[in-house]
Amino acid sequence: FGLSIQEYNLKKWQAENPSSSFQETELGPMAFNPKTGVATPVTTPAGTPLPGGKPLTESQGNATAYGMRMQSANDILDKLAKETDSFGQNIVRPPVIAGVPYVGESLAQNLPSFLGGSSGKQQQVQQAKTNFITAVLRKESGAAIGKDEFTTEDKKYFPQPNDSDAVIKQKENARKLAIQAMRIQAGPGAKNIVTTTGGWAVVE
């Protein structure tokens, strides 16, 4: 009849439970009992959650994929932000050497770490930043990303030399807000955009 297995199972469940209303949510199909006011996941006879009946649209699928990348990158940065390098400097917050940031600049990337180049953890920071920024820009435009555009996003979302603590916190919240916006665009796919602890990071 042109129905997927998921759609067939959902229609069958609805026919067997006419007193309950049904709605697709970011957590999967949910049944609402108007008599008790309780919402519960739709399950199979074996008790396992029933998959959603509608596949993600192309836009929702893209938002899910990009949102997962952004959340993963932010998790890495949150973890590294609690660590310091051999000079006692915060890993995520770049220091300044002779006026040149030594995370993210070609000089720093090409020098060995003992001469002021990027350490392994600083390279992790740069990779996470790149992953986050390219996910944001690919979702917004889908076009090739220019150097100036990348630099602008870097300054928007990540600590720069001489940023105050208040500005760094503001940028942290900007990243979380961008991830939340991606969850909204992902629709049912939002359930896949979670932190490594399984929850949702929220703006403080």
Side-chain angles (χ1 to χ4, degrees):
F1 302 101
L3 296 177
S4 68
I5 293 176
Q6 290 92 339
E7 289 174 317
Y8 174 81
N9 286 336
L10 284 173
K11 288 184 178 297
K12 182 179 179 181
W13 182 92
Q14 288 176 289
E16 294 173 349
N17 299 271
S19 62
S20 295
S21 60
F22 165 82
Q23 185 174 6
E24 287 275 5
T25 74
E26 68 275 4
L27 300 177
M30 299 290 287
F32 177 75
N33 188 323
K35 293 182 179 180
T36 63
V38 176
T40 56
V42 177
T43 60
T44 66
T48 57
L50 192 65
K54 296 181 179 180
L56 298 180
T57 64
E58 181 178 0
S59 177
Q60 289 172 336
N62 287 338
T64 299
Y66 289 129
M68 291 172 68
R69 283 174 52 185
M70 292 164 64
Q71 184 64 70
S72 175
N74 202 53
D75 287 346
I76 292 171
L77 292 167
D78 283 348
K79 179 180 179 180
L80 291 174
K82 301 173 184 177
E83 302 186 27
T84 58
D85 61 19
S86 58
F87 299 100
Q89 299 284 345
N90 184 279
I91 295 294
V92 174
R93 183 172 183 171
V96 174
I97 297 180
V100 180
Y102 94 118
V103 173
E105 296 289 343
S106 59
L107 173 62
Q109 293 170 340
N110 292 329
L111 285 175
S113 59
F114 68 88
L115 290 179
S118 300
S119 68
K121 289 183 178 179
Q122 288 162 345
Q123 290 170 20
Q124 283 184 272
V125 169
Q126 189 61 31
Q127 188 279 333
K129 289 167 58 176
T130 299
N131 199 20
F132 188 99
I133 292 171
T134 53
V136 171
L137 294 178
R138 289 291 187 189
K139 183 62 177 69
E140 290 179 352
S141 67
I145 300 170
K147 181 178 179 180
D148 290 344
E149 192 174 19
F150 188 95
T151 300
T152 298
E153 296 300 296
D154 189 353
K155 293 179 180 179
K156 180 192 300 184
Y157 290 114
F158 302 103
Q160 304 296 311
N162 303 319
D163 275 355
S164 67
D165 290 340
V167 169
I168 289 176
K169 184 63 178 179
Q170 188 172 324
K171 290 181 177 182
E172 178 185 334
N173 283 337
R175 295 197 303 271
K176 292 179 179 179
L177 187 60
I179 293 170
Q180 287 183 353
M182 204 65 76
R183 288 194 187 105
I184 293 172
Q185 296 178 59
K191 62 180 179 291
N192 298 303
I193 307 174
V194 295
T195 67
T196 51
T197 58
W200 282 15
V202 297
V203 177
E204 299 176 1

